[in-house]
Amino acid sequence: SYKEVYPQAISIYKRLASRTKRRPYLRSIYFNKEKIFLDYFWIHIREKNPKDRTRRLNFYTCALDLIQNSKLNPSSKTNPKKSSEIFHRFFGKTKGNENFCVQIVENIKNKNKYFISVFPYDIK
C-alpha cells in the first residue's frame, strides 16, 4: 500500500539529501560518475494517482541502484516535445523477476541529468 511504500522511499531520499547542502544526487557509472539529480522524480510522482504512485514507488530503491551501477547502454532518444532534451531509458529486473524501466532526462545545453521516472514494463 502507499502508506507502507512512501515512508520507505522518502527516508531513502532524505538520507541522500542529507549528504549535500544543495540538490540531492547520485553518481552514475554509465555517465562517467556524473551527477544524476533526484528531485524531479518527486515532482513527477505527485502528478500521478495514488495507485500509480504506489506501483512506481515499489521500484524506487531498485531504480537508484540501477542508476548508480548500470554499465549497459540505455535506449536514448530526443524528446519530441522539447528538442533540447534527451530521454535515456535504462531497463532492469528486480530480485523477484519484475521488469522495470528508469527514465533519465538530459538537458543538452548544460548537460545536467535528472531522474524523472521509474515504472514497470512488460517484455514483448
Side-chain angles (χ1 to χ4, degrees):
S1 76
Y2 183 73
K3 290 182 179 182
E4 294 173 357
V5 176
Y6 177 77
Q8 292 174 351
I10 203 70
S11 71
I12 292 167
Y13 175 75
K14 285 182 179 181
R15 191 171 351 117
L16 293 170
S18 69
R19 296 189 314 188
T20 180
K21 292 181 181 178
R22 297 192 178 116
R23 299 171 79 184
Y25 65 88
L26 287 175
R27 293 202 180 263
S28 172
I29 290 176
Y30 177 78
F31 293 112
N32 297 320
K33 300 281 184 172
E34 291 180 16
K35 293 178 181 178
I36 310 294
F37 295 103
L38 304 174
D39 50 351
Y40 278 26
F41 173 78
W42 295 102
I43 295 166
H44 177 74
I45 202 94
R46 284 187 194 110
E47 297 170 356
K48 305 297 178 189
N49 64 44
K51 185 177 179 182
D52 196 25
R53 283 185 204 172
T54 305
R55 187 175 65 105
R56 290 169 184 254
L57 286 173
N58 279 327
F59 295 100
Y60 188 71
T61 53
C62 298
L64 296 180
D65 184 50
L66 186 68
I67 290 169
Q68 275 187 307
N69 301 316
S70 181
K71 296 177 185 175
L72 300 176
N73 291 337
S75 166
S76 300
K77 67 178 185 177
T78 57
N79 184 350
K81 296 179 182 176
K82 197 173 183 183
S83 61
S84 64
E85 291 181 344
I86 300 174
F87 286 135
H88 300 284
R89 284 188 171 182
F90 291 88
F91 298 95
K93 189 179 275 194
T94 65
K95 287 182 180 178
N97 286 328
E98 293 180 79
N99 296 313
F100 67 97
C101 177
V102 173
Q103 189 164 297
I104 295 175
V105 175
E106 178 180 0
N107 186 320
I108 294 173
K109 294 176 186 173
N110 60 16
K111 301 291 184 191
N112 285 346
K113 294 163 189 68
Y114 306 95
F115 168 44
I116 199 84
S117 185
V118 60
F119 49 90
Y121 78 98
D122 294 325
I123 297 177
K124 295 179 182 179

